[in-house]
Amino acid sequence: MARMIKPLNNVYEQLRRLPGIGSKTALRLAYHIIDLPESDVMRLAEALVTAKKNVHLCEECYNFADSTKCSVCTDQERDQSLICVVEQPQDVMAMERSNGYKGLYHVLHGALSPLDGIGPDDIRIKELVKRLQGSTVKEIIVATNSNVEGEATATYIAQILQPLNVQVSRIAHGLPVGGDLEYADEITLARALENRRKLF
Amino acid sequence: MARMIKPLNNVYEQLRRLPGIGSKTALRLAYHIIDLPESDVMRLAEALVTAKKNVHLCEECYNFADSTKCSVCTDQERDQSLICVVEQPQDVMAMERSNGYKGLYHVLHGALSPLDGIGPDDIRIKELVKRLQGSTVKEIIVATNSNVEGEATATYIAQILQPLNVQVSRIAHGLPVGGDLEYADEITLARALENRRKLF
């Protein structure tokens, strides 16, 4: 059997390492890229290298930034008394897309996971505590994911922030808006019932 | 709303141009790539550029090759009297994976499609005819896709090769092996009936 030629196979192997790219997609993409004009391939390769070199972490909130501080932290219009704690930079993006939040962020870069050996010192919790000392922040909204690791992280943060004079809240979980009750999973449904609000 | 920082957005835009990569996948990949070690990103970018620079078309069959001829054409063990005509280089790979074919290939790089302005001169049909002149090839197996364009291409090739003393056959279409009859689409089923073989 004739095998894939080496340069093509290299592209395939590199693409296959990306998350969510299986062997069929990697193959399809590899063939597509070889067929692109050379200028397009150069542009793609350059975008990757440039991004890796120029994207840093914001020294304030640890979100991705192209200078020392990110665009949220430098925006004086944002509510400086509110910090939303998320696991990853892409969570910041998701929150921003909702257009419903005008405060600051703090990106943990992970969640507590004793089974994977990830403790409080492996994510940016210390940095959060330090950030709060002597600050005017009034409320911390913990928006970590609603899986075991995210919940454990939320609980840990609530405990560690207790001595500081700051309110800690958790983002609401319940039925997704527009979702039918009959298609909701049991855990979401149980949580939605538990967190019910009084109407009158 | 805080927007994505430019270097990250560049990666996102470049990835989104790839086939089958929607905006969510592109975003996920962009964030993943920024989080990779710099050496991994360099390796990916280099693989792309190197492949684009070093992959050429085989001067014999127009398959992808890293030298003037591809590995199938240079392999003297292959049956030189048989040529399988396919639309794309990835079709060669699919045929090779089946391990059921030991002849040579001819890659058209497309299929006839009058609606898209693709005529016989836009794909490598002339090169096939030229290749057959004075050759020892006995049979051409046309394995273009079974859509309108692929069928039109197969018919055209059969007609144009008629004057030459070579047998032209079409790859079989029918029920996929292992597929249940009840799930087969009508066109495949009709084709499978039409092409039935005598058992005794």
Side-chain angles (χ1 to χ4, degrees), chain A:
Chain A
M1 182 183 142
R3 271 179 294 156
M4 221 192 304
I5 53 175
K6 202 165 161 274
L8 196 60
N9 193 57
N10 275 350
V11 173
Y12 165 75
E13 294 287 356
Q14 290 297 326
L15 292 174
R16 225 176 49 151
R17 298 175 60 177
L18 299 173
I21 305 289
S23 58
K24 285 205 172 174
T25 307
L27 202 61
R28 188 167 44 78
L29 287 176
Y31 275 109
H32 174 84
I33 288 166
I34 296 300
D35 256 352
L36 285 176
E38 187 162 339
S39 60
D40 284 15
V41 178
M42 294 305 280
R43 214 171 302 139
L44 170 59
E46 252 174 52
L48 300 175
V49 174
T50 310
K52 184 61 203 170
K53 287 206 170 132
N54 295 328
V55 176
H56 316 285
L57 297 184
C58 169
E59 59 177 22
E60 197 73 36
C61 74
Y62 302 96
N63 185 14
F64 284 148
D66 49 4
S67 52
T68 52
K69 284 193 182 189
C70 77
S71 59
V72 176
C73 287
T74 50
D75 183 354
Q76 292 303 317
E77 304 269 290
R78 313 275 311 202
D79 185 346
Q80 310 284 323
S81 71
L82 209 56
I83 290 180
C84 176
V85 178
V86 295
E87 292 184 18
Q88 300 294 351
Q90 42 270 57
D91 300 330
V92 172
M93 215 22 98
M95 289 288 290
E96 287 297 299
R97 271 198 302 271
S98 82
N99 251 317
Y101 182 70
K102 298 292 168 211
L104 305 174
Y105 293 97
H106 188 86
V107 184
L108 296 172
H109 289 270
L112 295 179
S113 177
L115 284 178
D116 301 317
I118 300 173
D121 288 346
D122 300 311
I123 61 178
R124 311 261 179 187
I125 290 184
K126 249 186 299 189
E127 287 86 344
L128 174 64
V129 178
K130 205 173 158 195
R131 201 175 155 189
L132 293 176
Q133 277 153 2
S135 84
T136 56
V137 173
K138 288 189 193 121
E139 183 177 353
I140 302 286
I141 303 170
V142 185
T144 52
N145 292 330
S146 62
N147 50 22
V148 178
E149 292 81 13
E151 292 295 349
T153 310
T155 310
Y156 182 85
I157 289 175
Q159 277 170 356
I160 210 164
L161 297 186
Q162 220 171 14
L164 304 169
N165 189 22
V166 62
Q167 191 184 325
V168 182
S169 59
R170 182 90 171 97
I171 197 170
H173 293 98
L175 291 170
V177 178
D180 280 4
L181 195 75
E182 63 172 317
Y183 300 126
D185 65 287
E186 305 85 37
I187 299 172
T188 300
L189 208 49
R191 193 76 79 88
L193 278 171
E194 194 184 309
N195 296 344
R196 66 191 178 277
R197 294 179 306 128
K198 263 196 183 138
L199 285 180
F200 62 89

Side-chain angles (χ1 to χ4, degrees), chain A residues 2 19 28 34 36 52 96, chain B residues 1-2 19 28 34 36 52 96:
Chain A
R28 188 167 44 78
I34 296 300
L36 285 176
K52 184 61 203 170
E96 287 297 299
Chain B
M1 182 183 140
R28 187 167 43 78
I34 297 299
L36 285 176
K52 184 61 202 174
E96 287 296 300

